[in-house]
Amino acid sequence: MLTIIGIGSPMPGDQLGWQVIDQLQQLRQHRDIELDTYGSLQPANQIQSIDQIQLIKLDRPGSGLLDYLDVENRAILIDAIMSEQHDFGEVIRLDAHQLVAPSDSAVTRKQPSLLSSHGFGLREALLLASQLKRLPPECQIIGLNLYPSLQSSGNHIAYNSLHKTPAEREAFLSIDIRPLIALVTTEINSAEALRNV
Amino acid sequence: MSQSRRIQIDVPTLARVEGEGALKFSAENGRITQLQLRIYEPPRMFEKLLEGRHYSEVPDIVARICGICPVAYQISAVQALEDIFQVEISDWAKNLRQIMYCGEWIQSHALHIHLLAIPDFFGYDSAIAMAEDYPLEVTRGLKLQSLGNKLITLCGGRSVHPVGLKVGGFHHAPELEAAQTLKAELEEALPDIEALIHWLDQISLPDDHQAFTCVALAPDQALTPAQALSPVQATASTTTQGNNQINADYPIMGRQLTATTNTGNGEKKEKEEGERKESRTDKESNTSLNLDIEHFQDHFKEHQQDCSTALHCLLDGQPYLVGPLARINLNYALLLPQVQQQMTQLQTQFPSQNMFHSVIARALELYQAILQAIECLENYQPTNTPYEKITVKAGTGFGCSEAPRGILWHSYQVDEQGLIKKATIVPPTSQNQARIEQDLEQSLYQYGLEHSDDELRLRAESVIRNYDPCISCATHFLKLDISR
């Protein structure tokens, strides 16, 4: 079983994960159409195993993410990503196990006691899942980089508040999620292909 | 370590509390010279934002004040508005509100116990670090938290900033099947919560008894001082205190406030701390206040401190405690018989003057909330009339409910169009703030200033965490004085 979880909120400004799940839901319901909200997407019939996939939208789950992770299932988490090392709008794929590996988690462990539910984000949830042996062996994070390349620096408070200039805001609002959908559908198909080998 | 050493501890960002606060602590020659809980999170100005908005928007706006206790904000608000419009909600809606509020207590208490509080007592920096050695306990905590979220979702559509509540009742009735499924899950969780209570009771908590005033909601038919203060005797079917039988629920929503000072366990303690000498005689308790929430502001006064963007609230000029320990101290006779039965098996005795017992009080309330939710779901049936019709009228109204962290008082003034003219919201964290500072001073003296800076810092942070402060809630206002 493959579980795809879109992380976001019902409020504008943090809906990327939910938009991807909405698109996949539509592909599931209307196999013969091409979506035009963001231009033409992958034809639905190319996603071979969409019926067998769990599609879930979560509203800033914090530690609640663990309720949806199952070590027996493969998981893909879709979320917005802030990275100064990537271009704005670039699709980023991360292995969740890399994020919680001792070498990397040391960064988080520097300030673990700062955690409160307000500060309990995706990475903290994955760390907790890893400690509790509940992180699926195959767990990927796929997202779009929303860090505004036009801006040299900023506070990491909320990504939409970083888009301060009209040009940045316009870029943010019109961001193209098609490459992200394409990568997710490729992943779905590769999961199916692997199962058929 | 010498008493004359100079101690300067600056905790720029408090750990494992909700929101952004800091602590400044200095001592010299064995005397504390500075102790400040600084709340620097920017004001959020919700009271001003509400002015001019239609009354029907209020539940959704105030839910935004807190992601952890949005139900408390919504309930206090709709109570106050229903008070103005003189609408009596149906028993069905009262029952569903009780279920929803229990959900909030369950999720908030489970979160605080497991993710914020207990790492202190086991020597871990965080629940993540603790999870490696205590996987079953942390998993149990997450499961309980999840149950609370499910209850809120059942009643409110979603667990964070739910949308189900409205002035007059609810927008819609939850499905019967979903309610029954959740009731079964709650029943399955009862052994978990019982195990949690006994596990917490075994933890070695600091012995830090202090005198303080507790404030909580009372049942609408207020207890007499004798009832409020006599030891609990639990039976399987009734609750008695002394010779007085009490027929009332453990209050979550209501119109009566009660307060006592110096609730205790009967021990007399004397302690010398440098030149300070403190003498406390427990069981000198007396009920100092029984008050309708309408008269809250006659006794409870908020004021601004330079160090904080949250108002400090004092009761007749003195700090006081709200929250689980205050509630248990004042209302333990009203807990369900099963909870009282568990209490009789514990080493920890209530009422208690030890703030570190808050973690156990929270677990007992978690048990109470699960049992109460099961009881409320027992005969649940959906309805086609989930709300009462509102006839708008101008006026002022008051609402008060027991948020997970303590009483949350709202007052609104509405005009004849139903627009908000004035809003006043007094959250629990600003009520506890003065008590936290008082506790810090007493607790650090009691602990001993001879401890290392790191030990003192950890003790101070643990003291603050006992109150489960939600700083984001407390900074919803901005008091602006302009001199021209």
Side-chain angles (χ1 to χ4, degrees):
Chain A
M1 171 75 86
L2 171 62
T3 303
I4 303 180
I5 300 172
I7 296 170
S9 99
M11 297 300 119
D14 188 13
Q15 292 191 317
L16 178 73
W18 285 29
Q19 283 179 10
V20 172
I21 298 297
D22 285 343
Q23 299 272 358
L24 293 173
Q25 294 276 24
Q26 289 194 50
L27 290 172
R28 172 142 63 187
Q29 287 161 12
H30 309 286
R31 285 168 165 269
D32 54 344
I33 64 160
E34 292 186 346
L35 302 176
D36 56 8
T37 312
Y38 294 91
S40 80
L41 301 175
Q42 292 245 7
N45 59 14
Q46 288 185 17
I47 302 181
Q48 297 157 13
S49 57
I50 192 102
D51 289 332
Q52 282 76 51
I53 295 166
Q54 251 195 316
L55 298 174
I56 299 169
K57 287 201 275 193
L58 293 183
D59 181 1
R60 297 154 290 176
S63 58
L65 177 67
L66 273 70
D67 289 345
Y68 300 88
L69 297 178
D70 182 344
V71 286
E72 301 293 320
N73 292 338
R74 187 181 165 207
I76 296 176
L77 311 173
I78 315 285
D79 202 356
I81 293 177
M82 296 289 290
S83 168
E84 292 180 57
Q85 278 78 51
H86 295 80
D87 291 333
F88 176 78
E90 188 177 338
V91 178
I92 300 173
R93 177 162 50 176
L94 303 162
D95 182 341
H97 291 269
Q98 273 182 321
L99 275 183
V100 300
S103 60
D104 200 50
S105 61
V107 178
T108 300
R109 284 172 192 273
K110 279 181 188 170
Q111 296 188 322
S113 59
L114 293 181
L115 294 176
S116 68
S117 64
H118 285 92
F120 207 102
L122 178 58
R123 191 178 194 200
E124 289 73 27
L126 293 172
L127 264 169
L128 185 57
S130 172
Q131 293 281 67
L132 295 173
K133 313 280 187 285
R134 287 170 64 182
L135 192 58
E138 284 187 82
C139 182
Q140 290 187 78
I141 300 148
I142 301 179
L144 278 184
N145 184 29
L146 296 180
Y147 192 84
S149 53
L150 297 172
Q151 186 178 304
S152 57
S153 66
N155 294 322
H156 292 252
I157 300 169
Y159 60 82
N160 52 346
S161 70
L162 288 178
H163 301 84
K164 292 189 171 79
T165 67
E168 286 168 355
R169 277 196 289 273
E170 180 59 31
F172 170 68
L173 291 172
S174 60
I175 193 163
D176 185 358
I177 69 167
R178 281 176 298 175
L180 180 58
I181 298 273
L183 181 58
V184 173
T185 53
T186 303
E187 285 297 320
I188 293 169
N189 286 333
S190 75
E192 178 67 9
L194 282 173
R195 218 182 348 261
N196 291 336
V197 167
Chain B
M1 204 171 292
S2 164
Q3 279 284 321
S4 64
R5 90 183 152 115
R6 180 177 293 175
I7 303 168
Q8 275 206 311
I9 295 176
D10 195 357
V11 186
T13 306
L14 286 168
R16 282 185 276 126
V17 299
E18 306 294 0
E20 296 165 4
L23 175 69
K24 261 189 181 301
F25 166 58
S26 307
E28 200 165 356
N29 298 324
R31 302 278 306 162
I32 293 173
T33 52
Q34 185 190 30
L35 192 56
Q36 258 186 1
L37 174 63
R38 286 178 50 237
I39 290 185
Y40 56 82
E41 183 161 321
R44 296 165 69 209
M45 295 171 275
F46 268 91
E47 286 155 324
K48 278 287 169 196
L49 283 171
L50 285 162
E51 288 179 13
R53 307 305 293 248
H54 193 255
Y55 79 87
S56 60
E57 296 179 278
V58 173
D60 290 334
I61 294 173
V62 296
R64 299 279 152 182
I65 294 175
C66 187
I68 303 163
C69 53
V71 178
Y73 279 90
Q74 291 184 311
I75 296 271
S76 289
V78 294
Q79 266 187 336
L81 293 163
E82 287 158 3
D83 184 31
I84 299 171
F85 304 141
Q86 293 173 346
V87 58
E88 177 70 22
I89 64 165
S90 65
D91 287 344
W92 180 91
K94 284 179 191 165
N95 189 56
L96 198 62
R97 284 183 184 179
Q98 187 81 11
I99 294 169
M100 193 175 185
Y101 220 124
C102 286
E104 182 154 286
W105 275 22
I106 295 166
Q107 70 85 14
S108 179
H109 283 357
L111 182 152
H112 184 263
I113 292 168
H114 296 91
L115 291 187
L116 309 183
I118 51 171
D120 280 339
F121 308 126
F122 287 87
Y124 295 93
D125 275 343
S126 70
I128 293 173
M130 192 172 152
E132 192 167 12
D133 299 326
Y134 292 89
L136 295 177
E137 288 80 1
V138 173
T139 301
R140 182 175 63 201
L142 294 173
K143 181 182 158 192
L144 290 168
Q145 187 191 356
S146 173
L147 274 176
N149 282 329
K150 285 181 184 177
L151 275 173
I152 301 172
T153 304
L154 176 80
C155 307
R158 61 190 190 209
S159 63
V160 182
H161 310 314
V163 290
L165 269 164
K166 65 178 288 177
V167 180
F170 280 84
H171 287 285
H172 81 296
E175 299 292 331
L176 179 61
E177 192 183 341
Q180 287 175 336
T181 304
L182 198 40
K183 177 174 165 281
E185 280 189 63
L186 289 164
E187 285 166 341
E188 279 172 26
L190 287 173
D192 284 337
I193 176 64
E194 288 160 9
L196 170 66
I197 291 167
H198 288 278
W199 180 59
L200 292 173
D201 189 46
Q202 301 303 313
I203 296 173
S204 175
L205 296 168
D207 183 19
D208 186 7
H209 287 71
Q210 298 180 14
F212 50 80
T213 298
C214 297
V215 178
L217 279 174
D220 283 343
Q221 190 181 0
L223 301 181
T224 65
Q227 284 175 324
L229 298 169
S230 55
V232 63
Q233 295 169 15
T235 67
S237 57
T238 59
T239 298
T240 59
Q241 281 186 325
N243 294 321
N244 303 301
Q245 184 169 325
I246 298 161
N247 294 309
D249 289 333
Y250 189 72
I252 295 182
M253 297 163 266
R255 292 203 62 87
Q256 294 288 320
L257 284 167
T258 187
T260 65
T261 51
N262 295 356
T263 56
N265 58 5
E267 295 171 41
K268 181 167 180 172
K269 292 179 183 242
E270 282 198 0
K271 188 170 178 63
E272 295 211 17
E273 292 144 354
E275 293 172 7
R276 298 164 73 248
K277 184 173 181 183
E278 211 179 61
S279 176
R280 295 191 298 274
T281 305
D282 298 341
K283 284 235 169 171
E284 286 175 351
S285 313
N286 52 62
T287 300
S288 53
L289 188 73
N290 275 313
L291 190 71
D292 189 287
I293 59 168
E294 185 177 338
H295 302 296
F296 178 86
Q297 287 181 308
D298 296 345
H299 292 270
F300 295 83
K301 307 279 186 200
E302 291 184 295
H303 67 280
Q304 187 110 44
Q305 296 261 24
D306 287 346
C307 63
S308 174
T309 55
L311 293 174
H312 281 52
C313 191
L314 299 174
L315 166 58
D316 294 329
Q318 296 299 317
Y320 61 100
L321 174 73
V322 297
L325 186 61
R327 290 192 288 254
I328 293 262
N329 280 348
L330 290 166
N331 290 323
Y332 58 83
L334 304 174
L335 290 162
L336 288 164
Q338 299 96 310
V339 185
Q340 296 194 35
Q341 193 62 45
Q342 291 291 327
M343 290 171 79
T344 61
Q345 298 168 20
L346 302 181
Q347 299 175 58
T348 310
Q349 295 297 301
F350 293 95
S352 167
Q353 287 178 254
N354 184 352
M355 269 308 296
F356 284 95
H357 289 163
S358 295
V359 69
I360 300 169
R362 224 167 245 116
L364 290 166
E365 283 197 338
L366 214 165
Y367 190 34
Q368 166 80 14
I370 290 179
L371 291 166
Q372 183 91 72
I374 291 169
E375 199 174 293
C376 293
L377 285 165
E378 183 70 43
N379 298 310
Y380 172 80
Q381 288 292 331
T383 176
N384 291 325
T385 52
Y387 58 87
E388 304 299 315
K389 197 167 180 294
I390 300 297
T391 305
V392 172
K393 56 180 80 169
T396 300
F398 308 91
C400 190
S401 65
E402 288 282 3
R405 292 158 186 80
I407 53 169
L408 170 60
W409 185 85
H410 285 220
S411 168
Y412 297 94
Q413 195 182 330
V414 172
D415 69 14
E416 54 281 357
Q417 273 84 48
L419 301 179
I420 304 298
K421 301 281 286 179
K422 188 179 177 197
T424 309
I425 299 172
V426 184
T429 292
S430 57
Q431 298 183 68
N432 273 338
Q433 204 177 335
R435 168 87 267 272
I436 297 173
E437 289 182 348
Q438 185 188 52
D439 184 352
L440 277 168
E441 181 171 357
Q442 293 177 10
S443 188
L444 289 170
Y445 275 127
Q446 190 151 325
Y447 182 54
L449 298 182
E450 70 277 11
H451 286 86
S452 71
D453 284 9
D454 279 346
E455 288 168 331
L456 287 168
R457 183 186 301 110
L458 178 61
R459 171 55 68 103
E461 287 192 281
S462 306
V463 166
I464 294 168
R465 282 193 281 268
N466 283 332
Y467 294 80
D468 190 11
C470 187
I471 290 169
S472 306
C473 278
T475 57
H476 62 260
F477 69 92
L478 177 63
K479 187 181 174 192
L480 191 61
D481 289 324
I482 301 175
S483 301
R484 295 180 193 276

